[in-house]
Structures are given as C-alpha cells and as structure tokens.
Amino acid sequence: MAERPVLTARLAVESDTDRVIGLRAESERWLARRGIQQWTAKWDEVGRDKIRRNIANRETWVFEDDGDVIATVTLNTRPDLDFWNPDRDGPALYLYKLLLARDRAGESLGADIVNWSVNQAALRGFPWLRLDVWRNNHGLQRYYLDQGFEHVRTVEVPGRDSGACFQRRAVPTPVENIVDADAQADV
C-alpha cells in the first residue's frame, strides 16, 4: 500500500473561493455521470453564494497536498432547522459540503477528513458531529454509515431533497496524516 499523503488543513480564505467552487462543480459533474440528481445546475448561483459566505464566516476548511487544495469541508454550529431541532437534539457541530478532488478518490482521504471533523467537534466540546444527505442518495448514506455515523431519522420537507439525518459521537480522533495549519476556526 502506498504511503498516505500528509495533508495540511487550514481555514479557507477569499483566494480559495474559485478552487472550492471548482471542487463543487467537479463533484456535480461526477454525480451527474453516475445518474445522481444532486447538486444540479439549478443550484448554481445559490450554491456559489453559500460557499462565499461560508468562507467569509471562517467556516470552510481546505486540505492541501504539497500546496495544492484537494479537498474542502464546512463546519459550523448552525443546524438546518428543516432537519434538526436544537432544543430536542441538543448541541452539535455540523458538517457540510465535504468535497474531494475526483482524481484523489480511492485514497481514503474522505474518511480522514471525516475523522478530522469528528476530532474538531470533540476539541470544541460538542457531543456530536451531524450531517444530512439527500434522501435518495443511498450510496452516500452507506458511506457515512461505514464512517461510523448512525442514522437518526429521515425527514421529508416539501421542496427539499435532503433529509436523511446522521450523527457520530464526537470523541478525540487524531488523524496522523492531517496537520492543522490553523489552531482554531470560528465555528
């Protein structure tokens, strides 16, 4: 087995915006080729605005391999209120927009970033790392189950395709091949 690359995690800055949007567009094309109707063109400008806001709010992280941004994830404390009820569900860190360059698929880097995110939640004192995925993307749901998440519930909201809700206990989960360039994000 090849040696695992050491990734540097850092908060995204404005100059990373085009690369993060590019990772999203690459994922959109990959999903479309697989017949998965997620993140289609109808999302285009709204999604780009969300990416810009997440970067400006210091919620988006990028992962570099030898100076090249190959992945990104957004972590924040704002649940999607269509799917999570903070009063009922309690506090958590929420994972959004985990994107990995398609030419790096198969290296288990997505799993490393998930584990890194779990560790971030634990470091900040949250009991859970939570996420929601599209109800009809069963492959992605299996992926998160394989990453140690539990299915909490599936919520159907008119006009929303997401709603399969997952969480993973936030416990210290050091990831040896990810080095933090920033001590802490504003999550």
Side-chain angles (χ1 to χ4, degrees):
M1 183 174 177
E3 186 175 321
R4 298 180 61 66
V6 175
L7 304 181
T8 301
R10 65 172 174 79
L11 281 168
V13 294
E14 186 177 351
S15 61
D16 293 313
T17 302
D18 287 344
R19 178 62 178 141
V20 173
I21 289 172
L23 287 169
R24 177 69 181 236
E26 183 181 7
S27 293
E28 291 168 0
R29 291 187 300 272
W30 180 79
L31 289 165
R33 284 192 303 271
R34 296 175 54 102
I36 300 170
Q37 295 301 308
Q38 182 171 329
W39 295 349
T40 59
K42 71 178 183 179
W43 179 91
D44 194 35
E45 198 52 42
V46 170
R48 292 170 196 269
D49 287 343
K50 285 182 180 180
I51 287 170
R52 289 181 191 100
R53 273 195 314 274
N54 291 140
I55 290 173
N57 290 338
R58 298 177 49 87
E59 301 167 337
T60 298
W61 292 80
V62 293
F63 298 83
E64 296 177 322
D65 183 12
D66 200 24
D68 294 324
V69 173
I70 63 157
T72 183
V73 70
T74 295
L75 301 173
N76 66 46
T77 59
R78 293 186 316 278
D80 185 322
L81 297 177
D82 281 344
F83 309 127
W84 299 101
N85 179 327
D87 293 332
R88 179 188 66 221
D89 298 320
L93 188 64
Y94 292 85
L95 182 150
Y96 299 99
K97 300 179 207 71
L98 171 57
L99 303 166
L100 177 68
R102 297 312 313 153
D103 65 348
R104 302 304 295 268
E107 296 181 44
S108 296
L109 299 175
D112 292 337
I113 294 168
V114 166
N115 287 329
W116 179 88
S117 299
V118 168
N119 196 55
Q120 294 301 305
L123 288 172
R124 288 162 178 72
F126 291 101
W128 300 102
L129 179 68
R130 293 191 177 126
L131 55 90
D132 62 88
V133 301
W134 279 40
R135 294 186 313 271
N136 65 356
N137 191 335
H138 302 291
L140 187 56
Q141 291 176 33
R142 275 191 306 279
Y143 175 80
Y144 283 114
L145 289 170
D146 290 346
Q147 299 308 311
F149 284 79
E150 64 183 73
H151 178 253
V152 176
R153 64 183 160 268
T154 297
V155 179
E156 291 195 33
V157 175
R160 300 287 309 268
D161 294 306
S162 196
C165 301
F166 294 83
Q167 65 184 12
R168 181 170 158 188
R169 177 72 60 192
V171 297
T173 312
V175 181
E176 293 182 13
N177 65 311
I178 296 181
V179 176
D180 290 338
D182 298 312
Q184 184 168 347
D186 299 333
V187 294

